């Protein structure tokens, strides 16, 4: 059973590990997830519903809308109507998707969207869906159109194109075209291969053959903004400040006099979630910080200082370093290391939580990318794997209700909220750090001595990267202690010491990564300092492999 605590290679929230352990703990005991709280009351904000037909770009549509300070959610096309209605949307966006609308069983939008008389913007497949459902005809185009095209606006019509020139570059990716427009619709813009690149009903239903959400349509955001502000009548009230006050109100209403626990990991997501909950309910929240002995130098002290001294939060600090180290004794297999760390975390967390008496809620820093429901088969499968690993769960034997105040936020929004809550910049911009910590950056056995060597080397890497002002630009930067030893010479003595590797990568989401082209003199400084200042190390190498084929971590 315990084998379920295995590795994961997808990290969206940067302290997913804690949630993962708790999820597994829950599964081991066959518990059901108690009903989860949606912390924002829909009535308090304007929203757009993105009806998802499986486009790889749906999350980009959401990003663009949020950048316009309008709240939105991605909802699968086959979701129950109640789910859409509960958002109380001011308009709909129908996403792209891989299907052809004239094929049998092609996904369609719920008919009630059209009955709602709210504005609709169909993008690519979304445009074909609305054409088909409103009585027009879609057929396979004679010429498929992929890549850049020039859009010529032929009819200013409703204010979708306000602020735009009459011709602009757009990004196309489609094979199907409108053969016959629905009654009342006309073409508003064309490209060389698409006479109906933009269509509209004259008031509030539009179809775009191109993708306004991608960077290759440089003025796409203006089109989206016009749709939101001019057509749907949005005001742009979605800001970190409004999110915080909405969340605080809802948390208060839902928690009432109950008690909440939260596992802090030192990562930004759990920190922001806990701070938000703390602002709402103060000392009804107790945080548990487990020091597994695998953290970087000064990390537990800094986190404690922030939460206890600066934010005045109730934090139970469990220094379980020795227990973790004992579990790792003699272990060299990376997956076994992960399992042992996971098992131990659950034990320590449960033990500490049990001492607190009756608890009603568990707060977690789950993010939107961890929970986005998807419609394509591929992403559904991926989502299932991720769900198992990333989306939070409950400690055993405790009937707790989940509070996930960040479950609708993207990472950069979490950072904005964290800053608005007054969390220190260091914490907000912390690079992701794996749950098993330094255990998977020590090749071979993890011992107290080897941890000290790695901590000292890692400290120098961080210090130099920060001094060079590269910390924020890099996804992750760290040292690895290998089990290789090589010959060196120091003064008159021959040495036979460890090899340390330095890894610095750029990445958007950890799925792919490239090694960072760090300046040579920076690498030289890092190398000199490590061999001079860290006893037991006499050689430093720089990892110049990308992901794939390598991974970011070495284990
Ligand atoms: P890889 O090494 O697979 O890492 O390229 C991708 C991202 O995931 C992080 N990572 C982990 N995070 N537990 C975690 O919480 C783990 O076991 C784990 N393994 C890798 C890694 O740091 C990178 O950000």
């Amino acid at each position: 059973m315990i084998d379920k605590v295995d590795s994961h290679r997808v990290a969206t929230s940067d302290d997913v590990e804690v949630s993962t352990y708790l999820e597994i703990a829950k599964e081991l005991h066959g518990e059901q997830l108690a009903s989860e709280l949606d912390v924002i009351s829909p009535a308090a904000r304007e929203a757009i519903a993105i009806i998802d037909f499986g486009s790889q770009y749906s999350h980009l549509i959401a990003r663009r809308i949020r950048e316009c300070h309008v709240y939105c959610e991605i909802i699968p096309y086959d979701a129950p109507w109640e789910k859409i209605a509960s958002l109380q949307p001011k308009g709909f966006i129908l996403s792209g998707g891989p299907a052809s609308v004239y094929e049998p069983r092609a996904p369609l939008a719920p008919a009630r969207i059209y009955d709602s008389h709210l504005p609709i913007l169909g993008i690519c497949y979304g445009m074909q869906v609305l054409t088909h459902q409103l009585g027009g005809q879609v057929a396979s185009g004679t010429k498929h159109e992929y890549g850049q095209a020039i859009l010529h606006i032929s009819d200013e019509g409703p204010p979708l194109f306000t602020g735009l020139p009459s011709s602009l570059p757009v990004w196309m990716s489609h094979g199907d075209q409108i053969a016959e427009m629905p009654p009342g619709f006309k073409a508003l813009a064309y490209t060389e291969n698409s006479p109906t690149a933009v269509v509209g009903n004259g008031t509030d239903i539009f179809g775009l053959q191109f993708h306004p959400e991608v960077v290759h349509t440089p003025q796409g955001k203006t089109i989206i903004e016009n749709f939101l502000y001019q057509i749907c009548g949005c005001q742009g009230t979605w800001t970190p400040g409004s999110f915080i006050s909405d969340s605080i109100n809802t948390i208060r209403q839902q928690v009432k006099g109950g008690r909440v626990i939260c596992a802090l990991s030192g990562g930004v997501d759990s920190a922001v979630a806990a701070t938000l909950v703390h602002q709402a309910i103060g000392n009804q929240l107790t945080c548990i910080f487990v020091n597994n002995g695998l953290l970087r130098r000064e990390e537990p002290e800094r986190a404690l200082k922030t939460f206890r001294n600066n934010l005045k939060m109730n934090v139970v600090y469990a220094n379980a370093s020795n227990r973790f180290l004992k579990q790792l004794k003699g272990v060299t297999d990376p997956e076994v290391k992960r399992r042992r760390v996971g098992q131990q975390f659950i034990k320590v967390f449960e033990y500490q939580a049990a001492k607190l008496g009756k608890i009603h809620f568990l707060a977690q820093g789950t993010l939107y990318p961890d929970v986005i429901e998807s419609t394509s088969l591929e992403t559904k499968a991926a989502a299932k794997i991720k769900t198992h690993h990333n989306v939070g769960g409950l400690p055993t034997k405790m009937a707790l209700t989940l509070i996930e105040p960040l479950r609708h936020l993207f990472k950069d929004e979490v950072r904005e909220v964290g800053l608005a809550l007054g969390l220190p910049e260091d914490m907000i911009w912390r690079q992701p750090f794996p749950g098993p910590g330094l255990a998977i950056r020590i090749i071979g056995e993890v011992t107290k001595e080897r941890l000290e060597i790695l901590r000292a080397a890692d400290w120098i890497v961080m210090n130099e990267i920060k001094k060079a002002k590269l910390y924020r630009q890099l996804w992750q930067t760290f040292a690895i202690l290998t089990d290789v030893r090589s010959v060196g010479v120091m003064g008159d003595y021959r040495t036979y010491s460890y090899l340390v590797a330095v890894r610095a990568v750029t990445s958007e989401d950890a799925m792919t990564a490239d090694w960072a082209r760090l300046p040579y003199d920076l690498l030289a400084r890092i190398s000199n300092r490590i061999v001079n200042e860290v006893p037991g190390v006499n050689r430093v190498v720089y990892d110049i492999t990308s992901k794939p084929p390598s991974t970011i971590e070495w284990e």
Side-chain angles (χ1 to χ4, degrees):
M1 277 294 262
I2 216 75
D3 276 353
K4 285 183 139 195
V5 186
D6 56 9
S7 72
H8 62 82
R9 293 270 166 197
V10 185
T12 39
S13 71
D14 69 356
D15 39 18
V16 288
E17 198 74 8
V18 166
S19 330
T20 306
Y21 299 149
L22 301 181
E23 163 85 354
I24 291 154
K26 181 203 71 177
E27 280 185 14
L28 291 178
H29 292 255
E31 284 191 17
Q32 293 298 310
L33 196 75
S35 72
E36 118 216 334
L37 301 179
D38 195 347
V39 295
I40 304 153
S41 92
R45 49 140 205 240
E46 48 189 26
I48 296 290
I50 301 168
I51 306 299
D52 183 27
F53 294 100
S55 165
Q56 53 181 327
Y57 300 134
S58 294
H59 69 285
L60 282 181
I61 304 176
R63 293 294 308 116
R64 296 290 99 81
I65 297 175
R66 301 270 188 99
E67 282 164 16
C68 297
H69 301 294
V70 174
Y71 182 74
C72 62
E73 278 184 34
I74 300 172
I75 303 178
Y77 71 92
D78 54 357
W81 177 253
E82 295 68 43
K83 183 162 178 150
I84 299 172
S86 70
L87 250 192
Q88 299 181 8
K90 295 194 83 147
F92 297 97
I93 292 194
L94 310 184
S95 86
S100 278
V101 77
Y102 44 80
E103 282 170 354
R105 291 188 297 283
L108 297 176
R112 291 171 78 163
I113 284 181
Y114 305 105
D115 298 338
S116 72
H117 300 294
L118 289 167
I120 305 173
L121 178 69
I123 295 176
C124 202
Y125 180 76
M127 169 194 200
Q128 288 145 18
V129 163
L130 68 84
T131 301
H132 176 84
Q133 289 187 281
L134 293 175
Q137 264 196 0
V138 176
S140 178
T142 43
K143 279 192 193 157
H144 290 197
E145 209 178 1
Y146 296 102
Q148 205 88 55
I150 298 295
L151 183 80
H152 303 280
I153 295 164
S154 51
D155 184 332
E156 277 295 329
L160 196 62
F161 303 120
T162 304
L164 292 173
S166 55
S167 299
L168 57 142
V170 295
W171 185 258
M172 290 284 193
S173 170
H174 69 106
D176 293 340
Q177 281 204 350
I178 295 182
E180 194 183 313
M181 266 183 284
F185 276 66
K186 61 179 183 176
L188 305 176
Y190 64 93
T191 65
E192 193 182 336
N193 290 322
S194 265
T196 52
V198 180
V199 299
N201 70 345
T203 53
D204 55 4
I205 303 184
F206 301 91
L208 308 179
Q209 188 64 85
F210 59 90
H211 288 275
E213 69 277 23
V214 301
V215 287
H216 312 288
T217 303
Q219 285 129 308
K221 194 174 152 198
T222 306
I223 299 176
I224 291 176
E225 204 167 55
N226 286 338
F227 176 70
L228 300 174
Y229 283 45
Q230 316 262 1
I231 314 283
C232 299
C234 293
Q235 310 271 317
T237 52
W238 170 254
T239 60
S242 72
F243 170 81
I244 291 169
S245 53
D246 286 352
S247 303
I248 287 177
N249 282 339
T250 319
I251 293 170
R252 278 186 190 148
Q253 280 167 25
Q254 288 166 324
V255 171
K256 297 193 176 77
R259 290 181 68 201
V260 183
I261 48 169
C262 178
L264 291 177
S265 71
V268 56
D269 310 317
S270 62
V272 174
T275 311
L276 201 50
V277 174
H278 182 251
Q279 292 222 344
I281 56 159
N283 280 345
Q284 285 165 255
L285 169 73
T286 305
C287 295
I288 298 177
F289 185 96
V290 177
N291 181 355
N292 57 13
L294 306 167
L295 302 173
R296 283 168 296 192
R297 188 186 278 181
E298 287 188 9
E299 209 158 35
E301 295 82 6
R302 280 184 203 212
L304 272 185
K305 186 166 168 255
T306 303
F307 293 113
R308 274 190 179 156
N309 302 0
N310 303 0
L311 298 167
K312 311 278 180 234
M313 282 160 63
N314 245 337
V315 184
V316 173
Y317 173 64
N319 187 352
S321 308
N322 288 335
R323 293 169 132 253
F324 281 84
L325 216 60
K326 225 155 110 193
Q327 290 301 315
L328 291 169
K329 195 169 164 45
V331 178
T332 53
D333 182 312
E335 300 314 308
V336 178
K337 285 181 184 173
R338 283 188 167 85
R339 278 204 290 277
R340 298 274 170 95
V341 173
Q343 290 161 5
Q344 200 54 42
F345 178 86
I346 293 167
K347 277 195 187 150
V348 176
F349 186 85
E350 283 184 350
Y351 175 75
Q352 294 296 339
K355 288 205 296 194
L356 297 174
K358 182 69 191 155
I359 302 287
H360 311 87
F361 301 91
L362 174 75
Q364 292 198 156
T366 316
L367 302 196
Y368 200 36
D370 296 328
V371 294
I372 289 179
E373 291 181 62
S374 189
T375 47
S376 76
L377 283 179
E378 199 181 298
T379 40
K380 255 186 175 161
K384 212 166 164 183
I385 297 165
K386 272 179 74 175
T387 303
H388 175 72
H389 289 304
N390 292 359
V391 178
L394 306 172
T396 59
K397 302 183 212 97
M398 288 187 253
L400 296 176
T401 302
L402 265 187
I403 304 179
E404 296 177 307
L406 313 178
R407 65 182 279 118
H408 293 300
L409 297 195
F410 289 100
K411 186 83 181 188
D412 49 343
E413 293 172 326
V414 170
R415 291 204 164 106
E416 282 182 43
V417 168
L419 288 172
L421 284 168
L423 284 168
E425 295 225 347
D426 265 11
M427 188 169 272
I428 295 300
W429 293 102
R430 194 185 85 143
Q431 292 177 352
F433 185 66
L438 300 182
I440 55 166
R441 293 181 180 169
I442 291 179
I443 314 298
E445 192 183 356
V446 180
T447 62
K448 231 179 181 147
E449 295 69 37
R450 300 193 76 207
L451 276 165
E452 278 318 309
I453 296 178
L454 181 56
R455 274 197 191 105
D458 182 74
W459 180 262
I460 292 169
V461 174
M462 268 318 156
N463 191 257
E464 288 298 331
I465 292 289
K466 284 185 177 169
K467 271 202 310 210
K469 304 219 178 318
L470 291 172
Y471 183 77
R472 279 196 203 174
Q473 295 167 38
L474 297 167
W475 176 264
Q476 274 170 298
T477 338
F478 54 92
I480 300 108
L481 179 63
T482 72
D483 57 355
V484 170
R485 286 202 278 177
S486 71
V487 175
V489 54
M490 277 190 188
D492 292 336
Y493 296 98
R494 176 186 174 279
T495 56
Y496 187 59
S497 310
Y498 281 121
L499 169 74
V500 158
V502 174
R503 183 97 165 117
V505 295
T506 53
S507 176
E508 289 293 316
D509 54 8
M511 301 297 281
T512 61
D514 198 6
W515 61 279
R517 274 42 170 188
L518 296 184
Y520 282 169
D521 54 353
L522 172 62
L523 287 170
R525 265 198 311 279
I526 291 175
S527 164
N528 281 341
R529 282 193 60 191
I530 292 178
V531 289
N532 285 322
E533 295 173 33
V534 185
V537 178
N538 68 352
R539 195 177 292 270
V540 175
V541 295
Y542 186 50
D543 182 347
I544 53 164
T545 30
S546 58
K547 172 183 179 175
S550 283
T551 49
I552 295 175
E553 304 290 345
W554 274 36
E555 285 203 331

